[in-house]
Structures are given as C-alpha cells and as structure tokens.
PDB file of all heavy atoms in Angstrom:
ATOM      1  N   PHE A   1       0.858  -1.177   0.000  1.00 98.00           N
ATOM      2  CA  PHE A   1       0.000   0.000   0.000  1.00 98.00           C
ATOM      3  C   PHE A   1       0.896   1.230   0.000  1.00 98.00           C
ATOM      4  O   PHE A   1       1.950   1.239   0.636  1.00 98.00           O
ATOM      5  CB  PHE A   1      -0.916   0.004   1.229  1.00 98.00           C
ATOM      6  CG  PHE A   1      -2.034   1.004   1.154  1.00 98.00           C
ATOM      7  CD1 PHE A   1      -3.195   0.707   0.453  1.00 98.00           C
ATOM      8  CD2 PHE A   1      -1.933   2.239   1.773  1.00 98.00           C
ATOM      9  CE1 PHE A   1      -4.226   1.627   0.362  1.00 98.00           C
ATOM     10  CE2 PHE A   1      -2.960   3.170   1.698  1.00 98.00           C
ATOM     11  CZ  PHE A   1      -4.119   2.861   0.993  1.00 98.00           C
ATOM     12  N   GLN A   2       0.463   2.276  -0.710  1.00 98.00           N
ATOM     13  CA  GLN A   2       1.299   3.455  -0.892  1.00 98.00           C
ATOM     14  C   GLN A   2       0.528   4.737  -0.549  1.00 98.00           C
ATOM     15  O   GLN A   2      -0.684   4.814  -0.755  1.00 98.00           O
ATOM     16  CB  GLN A   2       1.753   3.568  -2.360  1.00 98.00           C
ATOM     17  CG  GLN A   2       2.376   2.334  -2.948  1.00 98.00           C
ATOM     18  CD  GLN A   2       3.842   2.192  -2.603  1.00 98.00           C
ATOM     19  OE1 GLN A   2       4.396   2.958  -1.809  1.00 98.00           O
ATOM     20  NE2 GLN A   2       4.502   1.217  -3.196  1.00 98.00           N
ATOM     21  N   TRP A   3       1.281   5.720  -0.049  1.00 98.00           N
ATOM     22  CA  TRP A   3       0.752   7.093   0.024  1.00 98.00           C
ATOM     23  C   TRP A   3       1.943   8.019   0.224  1.00 98.00           C
ATOM     24  O   TRP A   3       2.296   8.387   1.334  1.00 98.00           O
ATOM     25  CB  TRP A   3      -0.261   7.257   1.158  1.00 98.00           C
ATOM     26  CG  TRP A   3      -1.263   8.362   0.857  1.00 98.00           C
ATOM     27  CD1 TRP A   3      -0.974   9.669   0.584  1.00 98.00           C
ATOM     28  CD2 TRP A   3      -2.687   8.228   0.756  1.00 98.00           C
ATOM     29  NE1 TRP A   3      -2.119  10.367   0.326  1.00 98.00           N
ATOM     30  CE2 TRP A   3      -3.205   9.508   0.422  1.00 98.00           C
ATOM     31  CE3 TRP A   3      -3.576   7.171   0.915  1.00 98.00           C
ATOM     32  CZ2 TRP A   3      -4.565   9.746   0.264  1.00 98.00           C
ATOM     33  CZ3 TRP A   3      -4.927   7.405   0.756  1.00 98.00           C
ATOM     34  CH2 TRP A   3      -5.418   8.685   0.431  1.00 98.00           C
ATOM     35  N   HIS A   4       2.596   8.385  -0.876  1.00 98.00           N
ATOM     36  CA  HIS A   4       3.799   9.212  -0.748  1.00 98.00           C
ATOM     37  C   HIS A   4       4.052   9.992  -2.021  1.00 98.00           C
ATOM     38  O   HIS A   4       3.612   9.609  -3.107  1.00 98.00           O
ATOM     39  CB  HIS A   4       5.020   8.341  -0.421  1.00 98.00           C
ATOM     40  CG  HIS A   4       5.484   7.473  -1.561  1.00 98.00           C
ATOM     41  ND1 HIS A   4       6.544   7.815  -2.365  1.00 98.00           N
ATOM     42  CD2 HIS A   4       5.029   6.292  -2.035  1.00 98.00           C
ATOM     43  CE1 HIS A   4       6.725   6.887  -3.278  1.00 98.00           C
ATOM     44  NE2 HIS A   4       5.815   5.943  -3.109  1.00 98.00           N
ATOM     45  N   GLY A   5       4.802  11.079  -1.869  1.00 97.00           N
ATOM     46  CA  GLY A   5       5.211  11.896  -2.998  1.00 97.00           C
ATOM     47  C   GLY A   5       6.711  12.073  -3.087  1.00 97.00           C
ATOM     48  O   GLY A   5       7.219  12.676  -4.029  1.00 97.00           O
ATOM     49  N   GLU A   6       7.440  11.549  -2.087  1.00 98.00           N
ATOM     50  CA  GLU A   6       8.895  11.631  -2.070  1.00 98.00           C
ATOM     51  C   GLU A   6       9.484  10.223  -2.077  1.00 98.00           C
ATOM     52  O   GLU A   6       8.771   9.236  -1.898  1.00 98.00           O
ATOM     53  CB  GLU A   6       9.380  12.425  -0.846  1.00 98.00           C
ATOM     54  CG  GLU A   6       8.996  13.895  -0.898  1.00 98.00           C
ATOM     55  CD  GLU A   6       9.641  14.724   0.189  1.00 98.00           C
ATOM     56  OE1 GLU A   6       9.649  14.261   1.362  1.00 98.00           O
ATOM     57  OE2 GLU A   6      10.116  15.827  -0.100  1.00 98.00           O
ATOM     58  N   THR A   7      10.783  10.157  -2.259  1.00 98.00           N
ATOM     59  CA  THR A   7      11.465   8.864  -2.312  1.00 98.00           C
ATOM     60  C   THR A   7      12.847   8.992  -1.688  1.00 98.00           C
ATOM     61  O   THR A   7      13.436  10.072  -1.685  1.00 98.00           O
ATOM     62  CB  THR A   7      11.592   8.377  -3.769  1.00 98.00           C
ATOM     63  OG1 THR A   7      12.233   7.096  -3.783  1.00 98.00           O
ATOM     64  CG2 THR A   7      12.402   9.350  -4.610  1.00 98.00           C
ATOM     65  N   PHE A   8      13.359   7.880  -1.165  1.00 98.00           N
ATOM     66  CA  PHE A   8      14.701   7.896  -0.577  1.00 98.00           C
ATOM     67  C   PHE A   8      15.703   7.230  -1.512  1.00 98.00           C
ATOM     68  O   PHE A   8      15.352   6.412  -2.368  1.00 98.00           O
ATOM     69  CB  PHE A   8      14.721   7.207   0.792  1.00 98.00           C
ATOM     70  CG  PHE A   8      14.159   5.796   0.834  1.00 98.00           C
ATOM     71  CD1 PHE A   8      14.747   4.749   0.132  1.00 98.00           C
ATOM     72  CD2 PHE A   8      13.046   5.507   1.610  1.00 98.00           C
ATOM     73  CE1 PHE A   8      14.248   3.469   0.182  1.00 98.00           C
ATOM     74  CE2 PHE A   8      12.526   4.226   1.670  1.00 98.00           C
ATOM     75  CZ  PHE A   8      13.136   3.199   0.949  1.00 98.00           C
ATOM     76  N   SER A   9      16.969   7.589  -1.324  1.00 98.00           N
ATOM     77  CA  SER A   9      18.049   6.851  -1.970  1.00 98.00           C
ATOM     78  C   SER A   9      18.476   5.725  -1.022  1.00 98.00           C
ATOM     79  O   SER A   9      18.232   5.779   0.185  1.00 98.00           O
ATOM     80  CB  SER A   9      19.236   7.762  -2.279  1.00 98.00           C
ATOM     81  OG  SER A   9      19.862   8.199  -1.083  1.00 98.00           O
ATOM     82  N   ILE A  10      19.097   4.701  -1.590  1.00 98.00           N
ATOM     83  CA  ILE A  10      19.601   3.593  -0.771  1.00 98.00           C
ATOM     84  C   ILE A  10      20.863   4.081  -0.058  1.00 98.00           C
ATOM     85  O   ILE A  10      21.831   4.484  -0.716  1.00 98.00           O
ATOM     86  CB  ILE A  10      19.911   2.361  -1.630  1.00 98.00           C
ATOM     87  CG1 ILE A  10      18.684   1.952  -2.455  1.00 98.00           C
ATOM     88  CG2 ILE A  10      20.384   1.210  -0.742  1.00 98.00           C
ATOM     89  CD1 ILE A  10      17.469   1.590  -1.649  1.00 98.00           C
ATOM     90  N   PRO A  11      20.899   4.083   1.273  1.00 98.00           N
ATOM     91  CA  PRO A  11      22.074   4.617   1.973  1.00 98.00           C
ATOM     92  C   PRO A  11      23.299   3.738   1.766  1.00 98.00           C
ATOM     93  O   PRO A  11      23.182   2.554   1.437  1.00 98.00           O
ATOM     94  CB  PRO A  11      21.624   4.636   3.437  1.00 98.00           C
ATOM     95  CG  PRO A  11      20.520   3.634   3.528  1.00 98.00           C
ATOM     96  CD  PRO A  11      19.838   3.648   2.200  1.00 98.00           C
ATOM     97  N   PRO A  12      24.485   4.315   1.952  1.00 98.00           N
ATOM     98  CA  PRO A  12      25.726   3.558   1.749  1.00 98.00           C
ATOM     99  C   PRO A  12      25.754   2.277   2.577  1.00 98.00           C
ATOM    100  O   PRO A  12      25.412   2.275   3.765  1.00 98.00           O
ATOM    101  CB  PRO A  12      26.806   4.541   2.219  1.00 98.00           C
ATOM    102  CG  PRO A  12      26.198   5.890   2.011  1.00 98.00           C
ATOM    103  CD  PRO A  12      24.740   5.721   2.310  1.00 98.00           C
ATOM    104  N   GLY A  13      26.138   1.175   1.943  1.00 98.00           N
ATOM    105  CA  GLY A  13      26.259  -0.109   2.623  1.00 98.00           C
ATOM    106  C   GLY A  13      24.988  -0.926   2.661  1.00 98.00           C
ATOM    107  O   GLY A  13      25.029  -2.118   2.978  1.00 98.00           O
ATOM    108  N   ALA A  14      23.844  -0.305   2.352  1.00 98.00           N
ATOM    109  CA  ALA A  14      22.570  -1.022   2.370  1.00 98.00           C
ATOM    110  C   ALA A  14      22.321  -1.681   1.019  1.00 98.00           C
ATOM    111  O   ALA A  14      22.946  -1.338   0.012  1.00 98.00           O
ATOM    112  CB  ALA A  14      21.430  -0.079   2.714  1.00 98.00           C
ATOM    113  N   GLN A  15      21.376  -2.631   0.992  1.00 98.00           N
ATOM    114  CA  GLN A  15      21.048  -3.327  -0.242  1.00 98.00           C
ATOM    115  C   GLN A  15      19.587  -3.101  -0.623  1.00 98.00           C
ATOM    116  O   GLN A  15      18.695  -3.144   0.220  1.00 98.00           O
ATOM    117  CB  GLN A  15      21.321  -4.826  -0.102  1.00 98.00           C
ATOM    118  CG  GLN A  15      22.801  -5.164  -0.095  1.00 98.00           C
ATOM    119  CD  GLN A  15      23.038  -6.663  -0.225  1.00 98.00           C
ATOM    120  OE1 GLN A  15      23.135  -7.369   0.768  1.00 98.00           O
ATOM    121  NE2 GLN A  15      23.136  -7.130  -1.458  1.00 98.00           N
ATOM    122  N   HIS A  16      19.377  -2.866  -1.894  1.00 98.00           N
ATOM    123  CA  HIS A  16      18.040  -2.676  -2.450  1.00 98.00           C
ATOM    124  C   HIS A  16      17.290  -3.999  -2.436  1.00 98.00           C
ATOM    125  O   HIS A  16      17.812  -5.032  -2.850  1.00 98.00           O
ATOM    126  CB  HIS A  16      18.180  -2.157  -3.883  1.00 98.00           C
ATOM    127  CG  HIS A  16      16.893  -1.891  -4.574  1.00 98.00           C
ATOM    128  ND1 HIS A  16      16.225  -2.859  -5.300  1.00 98.00           N
ATOM    129  CD2 HIS A  16      16.146  -0.765  -4.672  1.00 98.00           C
ATOM    130  CE1 HIS A  16      15.124  -2.342  -5.812  1.00 98.00           C
ATOM    131  NE2 HIS A  16      15.058  -1.074  -5.448  1.00 98.00           N
ATOM    132  N   LEU A  17      16.031  -3.984  -1.959  1.00 98.00           N
ATOM    133  CA  LEU A  17      15.231  -5.200  -1.883  1.00 98.00           C
ATOM    134  C   LEU A  17      14.021  -5.191  -2.805  1.00 98.00           C
ATOM    135  O   LEU A  17      13.656  -6.236  -3.358  1.00 98.00           O
ATOM    136  CB  LEU A  17      14.734  -5.433  -0.447  1.00 98.00           C
ATOM    137  CG  LEU A  17      15.762  -5.689   0.642  1.00 98.00           C
ATOM    138  CD1 LEU A  17      15.053  -5.954   1.961  1.00 98.00           C
ATOM    139  CD2 LEU A  17      16.666  -6.857   0.278  1.00 98.00           C
ATOM    140  N   PHE A  18      13.350  -4.047  -2.928  1.00 98.00           N
ATOM    141  CA  PHE A  18      12.055  -3.979  -3.599  1.00 98.00           C
ATOM    142  C   PHE A  18      11.969  -2.691  -4.410  1.00 98.00           C
ATOM    143  O   PHE A  18      12.464  -1.642  -3.979  1.00 98.00           O
ATOM    144  CB  PHE A  18      10.946  -3.939  -2.536  1.00 98.00           C
ATOM    145  CG  PHE A  18      10.006  -5.117  -2.534  1.00 98.00           C
ATOM    146  CD1 PHE A  18      10.134  -6.175  -3.420  1.00 98.00           C
ATOM    147  CD2 PHE A  18       8.949  -5.150  -1.630  1.00 98.00           C
ATOM    148  CE1 PHE A  18       9.260  -7.242  -3.404  1.00 98.00           C
ATOM    149  CE2 PHE A  18       8.064  -6.214  -1.601  1.00 98.00           C
ATOM    150  CZ  PHE A  18       8.220  -7.270  -2.487  1.00 98.00           C
ATOM    151  N   GLY A  19      11.318  -2.738  -5.560  1.00 98.00           N
ATOM    152  CA  GLY A  19      11.087  -1.540  -6.347  1.00 98.00           C
ATOM    153  C   GLY A  19       9.968  -1.772  -7.344  1.00 98.00           C
ATOM    154  O   GLY A  19       9.517  -2.904  -7.533  1.00 98.00           O
ATOM    155  N   ASN A  20       9.507  -0.692  -7.990  1.00 98.00           N
ATOM    156  CA  ASN A  20       8.534  -0.836  -9.066  1.00 98.00           C
ATOM    157  C   ASN A  20       8.716   0.295 -10.075  1.00 98.00           C
ATOM    158  O   ASN A  20       9.615   1.126  -9.943  1.00 98.00           O
ATOM    159  CB  ASN A  20       7.093  -0.903  -8.529  1.00 98.00           C
ATOM    160  CG  ASN A  20       6.637   0.371  -7.840  1.00 98.00           C
ATOM    161  OD1 ASN A  20       7.194   1.452  -8.049  1.00 98.00           O
ATOM    162  ND2 ASN A  20       5.623   0.264  -7.005  1.00 98.00           N
ATOM    163  N   THR A  21       7.877   0.338 -11.101  1.00 97.00           N
ATOM    164  CA  THR A  21       8.062   1.311 -12.174  1.00 97.00           C
ATOM    165  C   THR A  21       7.786   2.738 -11.725  1.00 97.00           C
ATOM    166  O   THR A  21       8.292   3.688 -12.329  1.00 97.00           O
ATOM    167  CB  THR A  21       7.147   0.981 -13.360  1.00 97.00           C
ATOM    168  OG1 THR A  21       5.783   0.929 -12.903  1.00 97.00           O
ATOM    169  CG2 THR A  21       7.511  -0.363 -13.974  1.00 97.00           C
ATOM    170  N   HIS A  22       6.991   2.910 -10.677  1.00 98.00           N
ATOM    171  CA  HIS A  22       6.635   4.253 -10.216  1.00 98.00           C
ATOM    172  C   HIS A  22       7.641   4.806  -9.195  1.00 98.00           C
ATOM    173  O   HIS A  22       7.757   6.027  -9.043  1.00 98.00           O
ATOM    174  CB  HIS A  22       5.248   4.251  -9.589  1.00 98.00           C
ATOM    175  CG  HIS A  22       4.172   3.753 -10.503  1.00 98.00           C
ATOM    176  ND1 HIS A  22       3.931   4.319 -11.731  1.00 98.00           N
ATOM    177  CD2 HIS A  22       3.283   2.732 -10.368  1.00 98.00           C
ATOM    178  CE1 HIS A  22       2.931   3.677 -12.315  1.00 98.00           C
ATOM    179  NE2 HIS A  22       2.534   2.714 -11.518  1.00 98.00           N
ATOM    180  N   CYS A  23       8.319   3.927  -8.497  1.00 98.00           N
ATOM    181  CA  CYS A  23       9.280   4.341  -7.462  1.00 98.00           C
ATOM    182  C   CYS A  23      10.330   3.237  -7.336  1.00 98.00           C
ATOM    183  O   CYS A  23      10.035   2.147  -6.846  1.00 98.00           O
ATOM    184  CB  CYS A  23       8.559   4.575  -6.134  1.00 98.00           C
ATOM    185  SG  CYS A  23       9.640   5.091  -4.780  1.00 98.00           S
ATOM    186  N   THR A  24      11.532   3.535  -7.773  1.00 98.00           N
ATOM    187  CA  THR A  24      12.579   2.508  -7.854  1.00 98.00           C
ATOM    188  C   THR A  24      12.931   1.933  -6.491  1.00 98.00           C
ATOM    189  O   THR A  24      13.121   0.717  -6.345  1.00 98.00           O
ATOM    190  CB  THR A  24      13.842   3.105  -8.498  1.00 98.00           C
ATOM    191  OG1 THR A  24      13.519   3.586  -9.799  1.00 98.00           O
ATOM    192  CG2 THR A  24      14.947   2.074  -8.609  1.00 98.00           C
ATOM    193  N   ASN A  25      13.020   2.783  -5.485  1.00 98.00           N
ATOM    194  CA  ASN A  25      13.484   2.342  -4.169  1.00 98.00           C
ATOM    195  C   ASN A  25      12.308   2.187  -3.197  1.00 98.00           C
ATOM    196  O   ASN A  25      11.879   3.157  -2.570  1.00 98.00           O
ATOM    197  CB  ASN A  25      14.511   3.325  -3.609  1.00 98.00           C
ATOM    198  CG  ASN A  25      15.760   3.385  -4.462  1.00 98.00           C
ATOM    199  OD1 ASN A  25      16.135   2.414  -5.098  1.00 98.00           O
ATOM    200  ND2 ASN A  25      16.402   4.544  -4.490  1.00 98.00           N
ATOM    201  N   GLN A  26      11.810   0.976  -3.093  1.00 98.00           N
ATOM    202  CA  GLN A  26      10.693   0.699  -2.189  1.00 98.00           C
ATOM    203  C   GLN A  26      11.142   0.099  -0.857  1.00 98.00           C
ATOM    204  O   GLN A  26      10.410   0.167   0.120  1.00 98.00           O
ATOM    205  CB  GLN A  26       9.714  -0.280  -2.846  1.00 98.00           C
ATOM    206  CG  GLN A  26       8.984   0.274  -4.056  1.00 98.00           C
ATOM    207  CD  GLN A  26       7.870   1.227  -3.693  1.00 98.00           C
ATOM    208  OE1 GLN A  26       7.506   1.387  -2.527  1.00 98.00           O
ATOM    209  NE2 GLN A  26       7.299   1.881  -4.690  1.00 98.00           N
ATOM    210  N   MET A  27      12.359  -0.442  -0.822  1.00 98.00           N
ATOM    211  CA  MET A  27      12.779  -1.127   0.402  1.00 98.00           C
ATOM    212  C   MET A  27      14.285  -1.371   0.371  1.00 98.00           C
ATOM    213  O   MET A  27      14.837  -1.672  -0.686  1.00 98.00           O
ATOM    214  CB  MET A  27      12.028  -2.462   0.515  1.00 98.00           C
ATOM    215  CG  MET A  27      12.066  -3.142   1.855  1.00 98.00           C
ATOM    216  SD  MET A  27      11.062  -4.679   1.843  1.00 98.00           S
ATOM    217  CE  MET A  27       9.413  -4.038   1.476  1.00 98.00           C
ATOM    218  N   PHE A  28      14.930  -1.240   1.532  1.00 98.00           N
ATOM    219  CA  PHE A  28      16.347  -1.575   1.639  1.00 98.00           C
ATOM    220  C   PHE A  28      16.621  -2.232   2.985  1.00 98.00           C
ATOM    221  O   PHE A  28      15.862  -2.061   3.945  1.00 98.00           O
ATOM    222  CB  PHE A  28      17.242  -0.339   1.462  1.00 98.00           C
ATOM    223  CG  PHE A  28      17.152   0.679   2.569  1.00 98.00           C
ATOM    224  CD1 PHE A  28      17.884   0.554   3.742  1.00 98.00           C
ATOM    225  CD2 PHE A  28      16.338   1.800   2.428  1.00 98.00           C
ATOM    226  CE1 PHE A  28      17.810   1.511   4.758  1.00 98.00           C
ATOM    227  CE2 PHE A  28      16.259   2.756   3.425  1.00 98.00           C
ATOM    228  CZ  PHE A  28      16.987   2.609   4.597  1.00 98.00           C
ATOM    229  N   ALA A  29      17.703  -2.991   3.024  1.00 98.00           N
ATOM    230  CA  ALA A  29      18.132  -3.638   4.266  1.00 98.00           C
ATOM    231  C   ALA A  29      19.592  -3.306   4.511  1.00 98.00           C
ATOM    232  O   ALA A  29      20.394  -3.219   3.582  1.00 98.00           O
ATOM    233  CB  ALA A  29      17.942  -5.145   4.188  1.00 98.00           C
ATOM    234  N   LEU A  30      19.913  -3.129   5.775  1.00 98.00           N
ATOM    235  CA  LEU A  30      21.295  -2.918   6.213  1.00 98.00           C
ATOM    236  C   LEU A  30      21.473  -3.750   7.473  1.00 98.00           C
ATOM    237  O   LEU A  30      21.058  -3.339   8.563  1.00 98.00           O
ATOM    238  CB  LEU A  30      21.559  -1.435   6.489  1.00 98.00           C
ATOM    239  CG  LEU A  30      22.953  -1.080   7.009  1.00 98.00           C
ATOM    240  CD1 LEU A  30      24.010  -1.379   5.946  1.00 98.00           C
ATOM    241  CD2 LEU A  30      23.020   0.388   7.427  1.00 98.00           C
ATOM    242  N   GLY A  31      22.047  -4.938   7.332  1.00 98.00           N
ATOM    243  CA  GLY A  31      22.129  -5.841   8.482  1.00 98.00           C
ATOM    244  C   GLY A  31      20.738  -6.174   8.991  1.00 98.00           C
ATOM    245  O   GLY A  31      19.874  -6.611   8.225  1.00 98.00           O
ATOM    246  N   PRO A  32      20.456  -5.925  10.296  1.00 98.00           N
ATOM    247  CA  PRO A  32      19.136  -6.230  10.847  1.00 98.00           C
ATOM    248  C   PRO A  32      18.119  -5.108  10.685  1.00 98.00           C
ATOM    249  O   PRO A  32      17.026  -5.170  11.244  1.00 98.00           O
ATOM    250  CB  PRO A  32      19.441  -6.454  12.331  1.00 98.00           C
ATOM    251  CG  PRO A  32      20.552  -5.489  12.614  1.00 98.00           C
ATOM    252  CD  PRO A  32      21.397  -5.482  11.347  1.00 98.00           C
ATOM    253  N   HIS A  33      18.457  -4.090   9.906  1.00 98.00           N
ATOM    254  CA  HIS A  33      17.618  -2.895   9.791  1.00 98.00           C
ATOM    255  C   HIS A  33      16.892  -2.896   8.442  1.00 98.00           C
ATOM    256  O   HIS A  33      17.475  -3.228   7.407  1.00 98.00           O
ATOM    257  CB  HIS A  33      18.477  -1.643   9.921  1.00 98.00           C
ATOM    258  CG  HIS A  33      19.484  -1.725  11.028  1.00 98.00           C
ATOM    259  ND1 HIS A  33      19.123  -1.737  12.362  1.00 98.00           N
ATOM    260  CD2 HIS A  33      20.844  -1.852  10.997  1.00 98.00           C
ATOM    261  CE1 HIS A  33      20.218  -1.840  13.113  1.00 98.00           C
ATOM    262  NE2 HIS A  33      21.261  -1.911  12.308  1.00 98.00           N
ATOM    263  N   LEU A  34      15.628  -2.472   8.462  1.00 98.00           N
ATOM    264  CA  LEU A  34      14.789  -2.514   7.266  1.00 98.00           C
ATOM    265  C   LEU A  34      14.090  -1.181   7.066  1.00 98.00           C
ATOM    266  O   LEU A  34      13.332  -0.728   7.926  1.00 98.00           O
ATOM    267  CB  LEU A  34      13.741  -3.625   7.400  1.00 98.00           C
ATOM    268  CG  LEU A  34      12.809  -3.818   6.197  1.00 98.00           C
ATOM    269  CD1 LEU A  34      13.573  -4.368   5.008  1.00 98.00           C
ATOM    270  CD2 LEU A  34      11.652  -4.742   6.564  1.00 98.00           C
ATOM    271  N   GLY A  35      14.338  -0.546   5.915  1.00 98.00           N
ATOM    272  CA  GLY A  35      13.676   0.706   5.573  1.00 98.00           C
ATOM    273  C   GLY A  35      12.724   0.490   4.410  1.00 98.00           C
ATOM    274  O   GLY A  35      13.107  -0.095   3.391  1.00 98.00           O
ATOM    275  N   MET A  36      11.486   0.961   4.543  1.00 98.00           N
ATOM    276  CA  MET A  36      10.467   0.761   3.512  1.00 98.00           C
ATOM    277  C   MET A  36       9.869   2.104   3.090  1.00 98.00           C
ATOM    278  O   MET A  36       9.574   2.945   3.931  1.00 98.00           O
ATOM    279  CB  MET A  36       9.338  -0.132   4.046  1.00 98.00           C
ATOM    280  CG  MET A  36       9.772  -1.550   4.359  1.00 98.00           C
ATOM    281  SD  MET A  36       8.417  -2.545   5.058  1.00 98.00           S
ATOM    282  CE  MET A  36       8.400  -1.915   6.758  1.00 98.00           C
ATOM    283  N   GLN A  37       9.675   2.279   1.777  1.00 98.00           N
ATOM    284  CA  GLN A  37       8.907   3.406   1.278  1.00 98.00           C
ATOM    285  C   GLN A  37       7.418   3.090   1.334  1.00 98.00           C
ATOM    286  O   GLN A  37       6.586   3.968   1.531  1.00 98.00           O
ATOM    287  CB  GLN A  37       9.319   3.728  -0.149  1.00 98.00           C
ATOM    288  CG  GLN A  37       8.602   4.916  -0.756  1.00 98.00           C
ATOM    289  CD  GLN A  37       8.792   6.163   0.076  1.00 98.00           C
ATOM    290  OE1 GLN A  37       9.881   6.733   0.089  1.00 98.00           O
ATOM    291  NE2 GLN A  37       7.768   6.594   0.786  1.00 98.00           N
ATOM    292  N   CYS A  38       7.096   1.841   1.155  1.00 98.00           N
ATOM    293  CA  CYS A  38       5.706   1.386   1.129  1.00 98.00           C
ATOM    294  C   CYS A  38       5.183   1.136   2.541  1.00 98.00           C
ATOM    295  O   CYS A  38       5.930   1.099   3.517  1.00 98.00           O
ATOM    296  CB  CYS A  38       5.583   0.121   0.291  1.00 98.00           C
ATOM    297  SG  CYS A  38       6.781  -1.160   0.719  1.00 98.00           S
ATOM    298  N   HIS A  39       3.884   0.953   2.615  1.00 98.00           N
ATOM    299  CA  HIS A  39       3.209   0.621   3.867  1.00 98.00           C
ATOM    300  C   HIS A  39       2.772  -0.841   3.820  1.00 98.00           C
ATOM    301  O   HIS A  39       1.988  -1.223   2.956  1.00 98.00           O
ATOM    302  CB  HIS A  39       1.965   1.498   4.058  1.00 98.00           C
ATOM    303  CG  HIS A  39       2.246   2.936   4.293  1.00 98.00           C
ATOM    304  ND1 HIS A  39       2.517   3.452   5.545  1.00 98.00           N
ATOM    305  CD2 HIS A  39       2.287   3.985   3.436  1.00 98.00           C
ATOM    306  CE1 HIS A  39       2.713   4.758   5.454  1.00 98.00           C
ATOM    307  NE2 HIS A  39       2.578   5.105   4.186  1.00 98.00           N
ATOM    308  N   VAL A  40       3.252  -1.648   4.761  1.00 98.00           N
ATOM    309  CA  VAL A  40       2.768  -3.032   4.878  1.00 98.00           C
ATOM    310  C   VAL A  40       2.021  -3.237   6.194  1.00 98.00           C
ATOM    311  O   VAL A  40       1.584  -4.341   6.490  1.00 98.00           O
ATOM    312  CB  VAL A  40       3.929  -4.046   4.759  1.00 98.00           C
ATOM    313  CG1 VAL A  40       4.622  -3.927   3.415  1.00 98.00           C
ATOM    314  CG2 VAL A  40       4.928  -3.883   5.904  1.00 98.00           C
ATOM    315  N   GLU A  41       1.860  -2.162   6.951  1.00 98.00           N
ATOM    316  CA  GLU A  41       1.250  -2.238   8.289  1.00 98.00           C
ATOM    317  C   GLU A  41      -0.236  -1.903   8.285  1.00 98.00           C
ATOM    318  O   GLU A  41      -0.883  -1.894   9.346  1.00 98.00           O
ATOM    319  CB  GLU A  41       1.975  -1.269   9.236  1.00 98.00           C
ATOM    320  CG  GLU A  41       1.563   0.193   9.150  1.00 98.00           C
ATOM    321  CD  GLU A  41       2.132   0.971   7.973  1.00 98.00           C
ATOM    322  OE1 GLU A  41       2.696   0.340   7.042  1.00 98.00           O
ATOM    323  OE2 GLU A  41       2.025   2.202   7.979  1.00 98.00           O
ATOM    324  N   MET A  42      -0.792  -1.666   7.110  1.00 98.00           N
ATOM    325  CA  MET A  42      -2.151  -1.125   7.017  1.00 98.00           C
ATOM    326  C   MET A  42      -3.220  -2.089   7.553  1.00 98.00           C
ATOM    327  O   MET A  42      -3.109  -3.301   7.416  1.00 98.00           O
ATOM    328  CB  MET A  42      -2.474  -0.775   5.567  1.00 98.00           C
ATOM    329  CG  MET A  42      -1.528   0.228   4.935  1.00 98.00           C
ATOM    330  SD  MET A  42      -1.372   1.770   5.853  1.00 98.00           S
ATOM    331  CE  MET A  42      -3.025   2.452   5.637  1.00 98.00           C
ATOM    332  N   THR A  43      -4.247  -1.490   8.143  1.00 98.00           N
ATOM    333  CA  THR A  43      -5.448  -2.199   8.559  1.00 98.00           C
ATOM    334  C   THR A  43      -6.624  -1.577   7.810  1.00 98.00           C
ATOM    335  O   THR A  43      -6.519  -0.459   7.294  1.00 98.00           O
ATOM    336  CB  THR A  43      -5.689  -2.067  10.067  1.00 98.00           C
ATOM    337  OG1 THR A  43      -5.933  -0.672  10.374  1.00 98.00           O
ATOM    338  CG2 THR A  43      -4.479  -2.561  10.867  1.00 98.00           C
ATOM    339  N   PRO A  44      -7.769  -2.265   7.740  1.00 98.00           N
ATOM    340  CA  PRO A  44      -8.930  -1.662   7.078  1.00 98.00           C
ATOM    341  C   PRO A  44      -9.309  -0.313   7.679  1.00 98.00           C
ATOM    342  O   PRO A  44      -9.700   0.613   6.943  1.00 98.00           O
ATOM    343  CB  PRO A  44     -10.031  -2.705   7.283  1.00 98.00           C
ATOM    344  CG  PRO A  44      -9.303  -4.001   7.409  1.00 98.00           C
ATOM    345  CD  PRO A  44      -8.039  -3.671   8.144  1.00 98.00           C
TER     346      PRO A  44
END
C-alpha cells in the first residue's frame, strides 16, 4: 500500500530489496535494519 510523494536513496552499505516502475526504491536492508517506502502495516 502506498501514500507518498517523495522517495529515498539507498544509503551507503545497504542493499536494495524492492522496487517498481513508479518508485525505484521501495525497500532496503542494512544488516538487521529494514527501511520501507511502502506501507505493509495497514489495517482496514
């Protein structure tokens, strides 16, 4: 699920995990840390 108008770059040392045609950087991991552009926590 999405609701955003900005995007992040993948920080140094992190790895790209997820992307799509509308926003290249949807998710990155750095060791045990996880950064997401998208929302996976949504409830009805």
Side-chain angles (χ1 to χ4, degrees):
F1 193 82
Q2 309 277 7
W3 207 303
H4 71 99
E6 293 189 315
T7 181
F8 54 64
S9 68
I10 305 300
Q15 287 191 269
H16 181 271
L17 296 183
F18 244 1
N20 64 21
T21 56
H22 303 303
C23 180
T24 301
N25 296 330
Q26 293 284 351
M27 195 177 299
F28 68 84
L30 178 65
H33 316 292
L34 182 69
M36 295 177 283
Q37 182 57 72
C38 50
H39 292 275
V40 299
E41 81 282 12
M42 302 305 293
T43 64

